[in-house]
Amino acid sequence: MNVVVNTGLLPRGFLAAGISSGIKKSQKKDLGLLFSPLPGVAAAFFTANTVQAAPLLVCREHLKKGPIHAVVVNSGNANCMTGERGIRDAVATAQAVGEILGLEGHQVLVSSTGIIGRPLPLEKILSNVLPLARALSVDGFSHMARAIMTTDTFPKEAAAICRVGGRKVVISGIAKGAGMLAPCLKSATMLAYIATDVAISQALLKEALKSAIDDSFNAITIDACMSTNDTVAALANAAAGNKRIEARGKDFSVYCKALKEVCVALSKMIIADAEGATKFITIDIRGAGGADEAERLAFSVANSNLFKCAMFGSDPNWGRIAAALGSVPSHLDWKKLDISMNRKPVFRKGKPVPVRDNALLKGKDICVVIDLHQGKFSKRIYTSDLSYGYVRINADYN
Amino acid sequence: MNVVVNTGLLPRGFLAAGISSGIKKSQKKDLGLLFSPLPGVAAAFFTANTVQAAPLLVCREHLKKGPIHAVVVNSGNANCMTGERGIRDAVATAQAVGEILGLEGHQVLVSSTGIIGRPLPLEKILSNVLPLARALSVDGFSHMARAIMTTDTFPKEAAAICRVGGRKVVISGIAKGAGMLAPCLKSATMLAYIATDVAISQALLKEALKSAIDDSFNAITIDACMSTNDTVAALANAAAGNKRIEARGKDFSVYCKALKEVCVALSKMIIADAEGATKFITIDIRGAGGADEAERLAFSVANSNLFKCAMFGSDPNWGRIAAALGSVPSHLDWKKLDISMNRKPVFRKGKPVPVRDNALLKGKDICVVIDLHQGKFSKRIYTSDLSYGYVRINADYN
């Protein structure tokens, strides 16, 4: 099984499109559509933020009602904190797409991303639903990946092919990220859509997606800011013709692994394209006393502004790692603690190790390994540095 | 009762000093001393970080043993993550100061602030204890305030005079802040020392200090990064000659109020001097369902990098306030929510209110009032913006 990125490859039976509807002043693409004429199963996870954008509320209702055939998404406006009007606008968008594609409105998921608190420019969307449907094509996923971008600087696509019950099964994903991005543990972060031609039960698709998210979209943080619009949705249309996965077993394991690889690849692209980022940072916690503890320690370091600034400055300031580790409850005993950066020990068994290599952290990739020597739990997460660029982008966002 | 700032005023019976010992390469002041020849009572609170600097461990032991007469503090080195040697160095510092002043080592508190993980340059301290003691004077608190500075740009002093039982009681405080500064709720943040000539029981001094901290040092955040060295210590030497405060009552209330005013004044100076800060931000949560909820919501907004960047850009982006409010558990109902900035409503009863004043947030002071209309609990905290300056200072800190 290989993960390939930026191929535009869609699984059989899926079509996609991305066009400009004028929501973005820049006239860049801002309206995307994914469509499977075949019925299938869908699974989705949403932000745990108590402020939920209107399309998320609408999606939750649609997911209850039966097969999902399409996802329509706009960028440039989050349709969040927009009151009853926001709900009506999200429903109207799904309805309009459904009419063009011969579907019920509730068979369409709807997403938005962009600025919070401004009414959705519904007319621009409704007047562009027909051109959007006309643009549907088998290589349209790349266009949709562009249409969901906000402060992203490149589109994010990843695909994997695995063999399930003797059949080739394709998993294709797109995502967007860039900022207001932090995990919320029981749901996913940012926007990501997975199209797959596997035949699978809805329950197992959901389980596979949940498991994939835990090590991918829920294992990244840019700025510790949880969004109101985060959505990860997977549509499976069974076009691969594999014997339907109805139970855990070898087929399910193979599929889970492939799905996780796609989600991890997309997550890494999100971190590589974090707002203002100059570093791609991997944090490995090892030897923790529990899974929660490992995760808590990893995110405490990853979300420390002081640590992130030090990384921006290529400064192996492990004291800030220690302070961040200590700021959350844990079984940390600094006399047993090991910290290494880019494979060089900087702190070992309670004692600093002088760093003699000035260029240790000069490259783009930084790997921090923290071993507590307390237990057998580990956690790997990905994050970015805190740079002038992040401040610049977010001091004037409109 | 008036709070006065930067007077250098010390209560009767106290002496202080601040000199350069060469720990800071800049040759700026880096060694401070506060001394009361009279016996008295002391109360202190320390960081909740599980990684505790060596002087904190030593102070905890000294506080158990009886009257504290002096505080010695160095800047330029945190003496944290320095192993057994760090403990020995802290004890040796207290011992050396005690010998010069005719005290037992355990009658001296010791503090350090600066870079983590480097051995304390003990020789520099020991060879400067005599000059330090010789520099003790009644107007030396201002020099000590300078000696505890790290990235601070100005020294922080505040004093208040109140009448307790017909006597004038003086409360003088100094503090340092600047970065790695976030509240830790059950303890205090940064370094602050209070000298007061009140006669009071140890238990009530501790209670008064705890209460003052809750609305001052524990109500500020610069970067959500909890330090390993935070210490707030108060020494009361009874020189005012008031009838000793032994019980709650009018005298205690008056004293508590004055002490809180001094702590709030110092806290506000810390925020005004936050690393890279261009804004002084007050966040008022009102109408929350509980005290914990009010505090959680206030800090969620104050610690949001996106909110802080928007404030740096003078951008009244209340959507980021909403997202931050939603990222923690609460009874928030956005249909009841009111948000105002600098007294102008920006969101009222679930609906955005257009901001027509481009200069609304252009000044240095920003006040955000968030009313949940859910209950009767409120919380006021102070924070700063996130600027290029913060990133610059922390990308290269040595």
Side-chain angles (χ1 to χ4, degrees), chain B residues 83 99 127 174 180 197 215 234 296 300 346 355 391:
Chain B
E99 273 169 29
S127 61
I174 60 170
M180 197 179 274
D197 53 11
D215 288 331
R296 202 160 55 231
S300 185
V346 294
V355 177
V391 175

Side-chain angles (χ1 to χ4, degrees), chain B residues 15-315:
Chain B
L15 300 166
I19 65 168
S20 168
S21 74
I23 303 175
K24 284 181 184 164
K25 285 179 205 154
S26 63
Q27 300 298 318
K28 287 186 179 167
K29 288 180 176 169
D30 52 20
L31 199 58
L33 180 62
L34 174 66
F35 176 46
S36 166
L38 297 167
V41 296
F45 292 88
F46 303 100
T47 185
N49 200 300
T50 65
V51 175
Q52 300 247 325
L56 278 65
L57 303 175
V58 172
C59 281
R60 287 180 198 279
E61 293 305 312
H62 290 190
L63 284 161
K64 286 179 196 161
K65 290 186 181 166
I68 300 294
H69 283 267
V71 179
V72 58
V73 53
N74 75 273
S75 56
N77 185 302
N79 193 10
C80 178
M81 302 283 281
T82 43
E84 297 299 332
R85 173 173 168 180
I87 306 276
R88 284 197 306 272
D89 289 351
V91 170
T93 301
Q95 199 71 37
V97 169
E99 273 169 29
I100 297 273
L101 299 178
L103 304 170
E104 299 297 323
H106 64 75
Q107 294 178 314
V108 180
L109 295 183
V110 56
S111 287
S112 297
T113 180
I115 195 159
I116 297 172
R118 296 206 187 141
L120 193 69
L122 184 65
E123 280 312 312
K124 287 182 181 161
I125 293 176
L126 296 185
S127 61
N128 278 284
V129 164
L130 185 59
L132 181 67
R134 282 190 175 142
L136 283 168
S137 73
V138 293
D139 66 351
F141 220 21
S142 301
H143 301 294
M144 184 172 173
R146 289 192 176 273
I148 62 177
M149 289 164 63
T150 53
T151 53
D152 302 70
T153 66
F154 60 83
K156 294 159 193 73
E157 302 173 58
I161 298 172
C162 58
R163 290 196 82 85
V164 175
R167 297 291 184 122
K168 268 193 187 172
V169 163
V170 179
I171 302 166
S172 294
I174 60 170
K176 60 95 37 189
M180 197 179 274
L181 210 149
C184 40
L185 309 176
K186 280 175 190 161
S187 80
T189 31
M190 65 326 96
L191 299 185
Y193 307 101
I194 312 286
T196 176
D197 53 11
V198 74
I200 191 169
S201 73
Q202 201 276 334
L204 287 178
L205 179 66
K206 191 169 181 181
E207 186 177 321
L209 185 60
K210 174 74 175 69
S211 163
I213 286 171
D214 281 345
D215 288 331
S216 58
F217 302 120
N218 267 357
I220 56 176
T221 179
I222 291 172
D223 53 13
C225 292
M226 188 197 292
S227 164
T228 50
N229 286 53
D230 300 335
T231 299
V232 174
L235 267 58
N237 70 358
N242 62 296
K243 182 164 176 282
R244 187 175 149 101
I245 304 174
E246 303 269 12
R248 293 187 199 87
K250 184 167 169 280
D251 282 355
F252 184 62
S253 299
V254 167
Y255 184 75
C256 280
K257 189 162 178 289
L259 181 61
K260 185 172 290 190
E261 291 290 330
V262 171
C263 291
V264 169
L266 290 171
S267 300
K268 286 184 171 182
M269 281 187 260
I270 287 171
I271 291 300
D273 195 25
E275 283 174 350
T278 71
K279 304 285 188 183
F280 184 98
I281 305 166
T282 304
I283 295 178
D284 261 327
I285 299 284
R286 296 179 186 166
D292 285 357
E293 181 175 300
E295 185 164 285
R296 202 160 55 231
L297 290 164
F299 280 111
S300 185
V301 174
N303 286 329
S304 159
N305 280 353
L306 288 172
F307 166 73
K308 292 166 103 77
C309 285
M311 295 304 97
F312 174 56
S314 302
D315 176 7

